[in-house]
Amino acid sequence: CSRWEEEKKEGGVKWMQLEHRGPYFVPLYEPLPEDVQFYYDGKPLKLSLATEEIATFYAKMLDHEYTTKEIFQNNFFHDWRKEMTSEEQEIIQDLDKCDFREIHKYFVDKNEARKALSKEEKQKLKEEADKIQEEYGYCILDGHREKIGNFKTEPPGLFRGRGEHPKMGMLKKRIMPEDVIINCSRDSKIPEPPEGHKWKEVRFDNTVTWLASWTENIQNTLKYIMLNPSSKLKGEKDWEKYEVARRLKDVVHTIRAEYRKDWESKEIKKRQRAVALYFIDKLALRAGNEKEEGETADTVGCCSLRVEHIQLHPRLDGQEHVVEFDFLGKDSIRYYNKVSVEKPVFKNLKLFMKNKDPTDDLFDQLTTAFLNKHLQHLMDGLTAKVFRTYNASITLQEQLKALTNPEDNVAGKLLSYNRANRAVAILCNHQRSIPKTFARSMQVLQEKIDAKKKQVEEAQEEVKKAEDEFNETKDAKAEANVEKKKKLLTRLEEQLARLNVQATDKEENKQIALGTSKLNYLDPRISVAWCKKFGIPIEKIYNKTQREKFAWAIAMAGEDFEF
C-alpha cells in the first residue's frame, strides 16, 4: 500500500520509532582580519571577540532601512553594551560615534567574491553543503527515511521582526547544545552533542512530531526542528486540514442562517459574535488574538478590531451600507477594503460604536476563545482559520470553472489559472512589495515583445512576397515556399501572443503574493484535477518542492475531483 494509506495510530501517538543526528549548529564566529577596523570617534579601536561579533551584525545591515530606525538603533546599542567588557563600556557610549563602514565594506566585498567564484569552486561548496544535508537532514521515522525541514539552528544576529516591531534591533543569541531539548525514541541511537557540550535534556515523547526544540531569547517562544513538508506525517496533516474544510461545505448554509438570525439577538454578546463571524466568513479575516502590549507590533484581527479601524458610510460610490476597513493585520500588512454589507450588520456596527473612543474595542464583549468555542459547537474541528481555507479553496474552484477556456493554448490556460489564484490572494489579502527588479525585468520583456513584433512584420512581408511569386509562376516549389513562410509566421505570432500573456500576468501580479495561498490555503487536489482535465503539466503549476509537498494530492486526485 502507498505510504499515505498505512494504518493510523491510536491515542495521539505520532510515531513508534524516531532516530536522528540532532540539529546542525552554525559555525562559530571567525574574527575579522587585522586590517579591517572598527573606529570610535574617528580612532581605530580593537574590540574583544564577543563585542566584535555583534558589531559585524550591525555593520552587515548598514545599507538596510532598519539601521536608520531609532527603535532599532536603541535596542541594538542597549544589547551590545551589555556584552562589552567594562573597558569597552567606558569608551563606547554613543552609537553616533561608532564607524562600522570598513567592516561593512569587508562583508560586501566578501559577498561579491563569493558570487564571482568559478563553476568548479561553487560546485565544491555545493558538495560540502550536500554532505551536511545527507548527515543531518534526514531522520528515520517508523522505518521510513524522512527529510527534515529546518535541521540547522538559526545563526545569531539582530532581530528584525515585521512592521514596526518594538523589539527590532535586539540581539538574537547563539543557540548552544545546552539550550536544546532532543526528542527521539528510547531504543534509537541517541544523537551526540558537539564535543565538550551536553544537551539540555533528552526526551522520548511520541505524542509530538518535533525532533528538537529550544527557546529563543527575544520573544521567549519555542522553536522546533520539524519534518519537511514532503514527509508522510506532514502530508497527512495537510490532507486532514482540507478534509475539515470540505466538511464545512455541508454545514456552511446552516451556520450562515444561524449567524444572520443572531444579528437580531437580545444579547449584545451574541450579536457581536454574529457580526464578527460574518466578517470572517465573507472577508476571510483572521480571528485576531489578544496580545500583550509592547511585546509585538500593533496588529489586529477580526475580534481585536478597534473603533478607529472602521468607518461607516450610509452611501459611498453608488453603494449602500459601506464599511471602510483600514488596519494592520498579521505581519503588519495593511488591510484596506470598502465593502457593502447587509443592512442589519451596518445597524449593529453603529450600535457597537456608540459612545466609544477611537481606541476602544469594536467587539468589546467578544474574545477569540468565546468565538472558537462557538465554532467548535457548530462543527467538530471548526475554527476561524477553516473559514479562510474553505473560502480560498471554493473561490479557486469557482474561478477556474468560470475563467478556463478549453480552446486556449497552454499559456492562455495558465494565465486563467493565475487569475483564479489572484482572486484568492486578494480575498486573503496576501500582498508583497513590488520586487526591486520589477521595472528592469518588465523593460527586458517589453524589448523582447518589440523585437518579436518586428519579426512578425518581416514574416508577414515574406508571406506576401511568396504569394505574389506563386501567383506569377503557379509552380509547386513556389507553393511549398508559401506554406513554409506561413508556418513560420504562425509560429512567430504564437510566440508573440505568449510574450504578451506573460507581460499581462507580470503586471497584474506585481503587488500580489500568490505563493502563500498556494501553499497554505488551497486544496492542491483542485489544481491537480484542473491540470489532468486540461492536459496541463503539473510542473507548470507546482515547482519541485511543491510537488514533493503535495505528493499525496497528485497521487489521489483524478480530473473529476470536486472540493
Side-chain angles (χ1 to χ4, degrees):
C1 72
S2 91
R3 63 184 196 150
W4 305 113
E5 292 156 57
E6 278 178 21
E7 79 304 327
K8 286 269 192 290
K9 299 178 185 62
E10 287 310 306
V13 170
K14 304 289 201 297
W15 46 262
M16 301 312 279
Q17 176 213 12
L18 176 61
E19 187 171 304
H20 57 94
R21 283 289 312 261
Y24 175 78
F25 290 91
V26 289
L28 294 170
Y29 174 65
E30 280 183 34
L32 293 169
E34 290 298 322
D35 59 340
V36 177
Q37 291 186 319
F38 167 76
Y39 295 86
Y40 188 73
D41 211 2
K43 301 182 200 64
L45 179 61
K46 182 84 185 128
L47 301 172
S48 67
L49 207 58
T51 307
E52 178 185 281
E53 180 181 11
I54 299 166
T56 65
F57 299 156
Y58 194 84
K60 283 176 186 172
M61 290 179 71
L62 276 195
D63 52 10
H64 213 292
E65 134 182 62
Y66 276 109
T67 47
T68 62
K69 295 185 179 181
E70 205 175 325
I71 300 181
F72 191 94
Q73 295 174 356
N74 293 344
N75 284 337
F76 159 72
F77 198 58
H78 174 264
D79 279 8
W80 188 32
R81 279 182 57 82
K82 279 198 296 205
E83 305 297 320
M84 291 177 186
T85 63
S86 48
E87 296 87 64
E88 287 168 335
Q89 283 174 343
E90 281 291 299
I91 304 168
I92 302 174
Q93 306 226 3
D94 183 354
L95 183 60
D96 289 335
K97 292 183 178 173
C98 298
D99 182 350
F100 302 94
R101 283 176 304 187
E102 209 167 279
I103 304 176
H104 174 74
K105 185 179 181 312
Y106 168 72
F107 284 107
V108 170
D109 293 347
K110 205 171 154 172
N111 233 349
E112 291 303 317
R114 204 171 56 233
K115 282 184 199 157
L117 288 177
S118 71
K119 212 171 154 190
E120 295 75 43
E121 290 169 307
K122 279 185 180 161
Q123 184 55 32
K124 212 177 124 198
L125 287 178
K126 186 183 179 303
E127 280 163 17
E128 283 168 23
D130 289 349
K131 210 176 121 190
I132 294 170
Q133 167 86 42
E134 271 303 307
E135 196 175 331
Y136 289 90
Y138 291 90
C139 67
I140 305 289
L141 186 124
D142 292 344
H144 294 282
R145 184 168 185 257
E146 297 276 19
K147 205 169 174 184
I148 299 169
N150 51 333
F151 59 91
K152 295 181 175 177
T153 58
E154 278 184 40
L158 303 180
F159 179 72
R160 301 182 178 198
R162 309 264 181 134
E164 295 302 314
H165 202 291
K167 294 189 169 191
M168 65 167 80
M170 285 187 176
L171 176 63
K172 208 166 70 174
K173 298 207 161 128
R174 182 179 289 277
I175 307 299
M176 299 306 272
E178 285 71 12
D179 301 318
V180 175
I181 300 170
I182 295 289
N183 191 31
C184 57
S185 50
R186 209 175 280 278
D187 53 4
S188 71
K189 186 177 178 304
I190 291 170
E192 299 269 329
E195 209 170 318
H197 290 278
K198 52 183 195 297
W199 302 121
K200 180 177 180 179
E201 183 191 332
V202 177
R203 276 187 202 174
F204 313 108
D205 181 355
N206 66 0
T207 65
V208 295
T209 57
W210 52 266
L211 287 61
S213 97
W214 59 88
T215 303
E216 57 87 32
N217 65 296
I218 289 180
Q219 316 258 49
N220 275 317
T221 54
L222 283 163
K223 294 273 186 184
Y224 297 99
I225 287 184
M226 298 278 201
L227 288 174
N228 181 285
S230 67
S231 64
K232 175 168 177 259
L233 257 172
K234 288 279 190 204
E236 274 172 3
K237 219 172 149 157
D238 215 27
W239 174 61
E240 277 164 19
K241 172 174 89 178
Y242 293 112
E243 287 304 300
V244 172
R246 287 176 87 193
R247 285 209 329 266
L248 174 56
K249 193 179 58 175
D250 303 326
V251 294
V252 75
H253 301 296
T254 325
I255 292 174
R256 285 172 180 161
E258 192 170 321
Y259 71 55
R260 300 170 82 97
K261 201 173 82 223
D262 280 346
W263 290 341
E264 314 290 343
S265 168
K266 297 235 186 327
E267 290 176 66
I268 196 92
K269 191 174 180 175
K270 271 194 181 168
R271 285 193 182 202
Q272 290 191 355
R273 185 179 70 192
V275 170
L277 194 45
Y278 170 76
F279 286 162
I280 285 167
D281 180 21
K282 188 175 155 75
L283 305 173
L285 297 187
R286 292 185 181 86
N289 288 304
E290 293 70 42
K291 307 169 27 167
E292 284 173 52
E293 245 172 90
E295 282 298 305
T296 57
D298 175 28
T299 62
V300 297
C302 185
C303 296
S304 44
L305 283 169
R306 299 192 293 269
V307 173
E308 60 192 325
H309 293 136
I310 68 168
Q311 276 188 323
L312 302 181
H313 306 280
R315 288 195 68 81
L316 183 71
D317 306 335
Q319 288 185 304
E320 290 201 327
H321 310 123
V322 175
V323 183
E324 183 177 359
F325 292 87
D326 193 354
F327 63 89
L328 294 183
K330 183 180 175 204
D331 292 338
S332 294
I333 300 281
R334 182 180 178 202
Y335 182 90
Y336 181 78
N337 201 358
K338 290 188 278 216
V339 193
S340 169
V341 299
E342 299 186 37
K343 196 175 175 183
V345 172
F346 195 80
K347 277 165 69 177
N348 270 316
L349 288 170
K350 242 178 166 153
L351 176 71
F352 302 160
M353 291 167 82
K354 211 169 145 191
N355 302 328
K356 280 188 191 170
D357 290 329
T359 54
D360 288 343
D361 285 341
L362 178 65
F363 302 118
D364 53 295
Q365 314 247 325
L366 184 64
T367 64
T368 314
F370 176 67
L371 176 73
N372 273 331
K373 200 175 154 184
H374 176 62
L375 292 177
Q376 176 61 33
H377 155 77
L378 292 173
M379 181 191 109
D380 186 37
L382 185 58
T383 62
K385 187 174 179 203
V386 179
F387 274 96
R388 264 172 88 78
T389 309
Y390 162 77
N391 279 316
S393 289
I394 213 85
T395 301
L396 181 74
Q397 183 167 282
E398 285 167 356
Q399 290 288 319
L400 284 175
K401 274 187 186 148
L403 297 172
T404 312
N405 174 4
E407 305 302 306
D408 273 351
N409 59 12
V410 172
K413 288 188 180 120
L414 285 171
L415 178 65
S416 300
Y417 180 89
N418 278 351
R419 283 186 168 154
N421 193 169
R422 256 195 297 281
V424 174
I426 290 166
L427 172 77
C428 293
N429 200 39
H430 292 151
Q431 308 177 16
R432 59 173 185 174
S433 42
I434 298 180
K436 289 189 182 69
T437 55
F438 179 79
R440 178 79 194 104
S441 66
M442 203 60 180
Q443 190 188 338
V444 170
L445 191 55
Q446 196 49 54
E447 284 161 10
K448 274 189 191 164
I449 289 173
D450 295 341
K452 193 62 73 183
K453 271 186 188 153
K454 229 173 118 182
Q455 283 181 303
V456 168
E457 281 162 17
E458 283 164 8
Q460 282 166 339
E461 291 291 312
E462 292 282 320
V463 168
K464 200 171 170 309
K465 256 172 39 191
E467 281 174 337
D468 291 348
E469 195 179 313
F470 172 62
N471 286 336
E472 279 167 31
T473 62
K474 298 276 187 230
D475 71 356
K477 197 175 161 196
E479 187 175 13
N481 190 36
V482 170
E483 282 311 305
K484 195 175 124 192
K485 297 291 185 198
K486 277 188 173 168
K487 256 190 186 146
L488 176 68
L489 176 62
T490 311
R491 204 171 76 229
L492 288 170
E493 284 174 338
E494 276 174 10
Q495 289 171 344
L496 177 63
R498 258 211 305 277
L499 286 170
N500 277 323
V501 164
Q502 231 180 321
T504 308
D505 203 30
K506 212 179 176 65
E507 178 59 42
E508 289 177 8
N509 229 12
K510 64 181 175 195
Q511 277 181 289
I512 293 165
L514 296 182
T516 319
S517 54
K518 208 183 234 183
L519 276 182
N520 302 310
Y521 290 105
L522 296 173
D523 188 329
R525 290 170 296 185
I526 300 169
S527 300
V528 172
W530 180 83
C531 285
K532 287 180 180 174
K533 186 172 176 180
F534 292 107
I536 308 284
I538 286 177
E539 48 277 14
K540 295 274 186 202
I541 300 292
Y542 291 135
N543 64 29
K544 184 168 176 283
T545 317
Q546 292 164 339
R547 291 197 299 276
E548 284 171 5
K549 174 174 173 159
F550 296 139
W552 61 270
I554 294 170
M556 280 165 93
E559 62 173 74
D560 299 328
F561 173 81
E562 283 277 330
F563 178 73

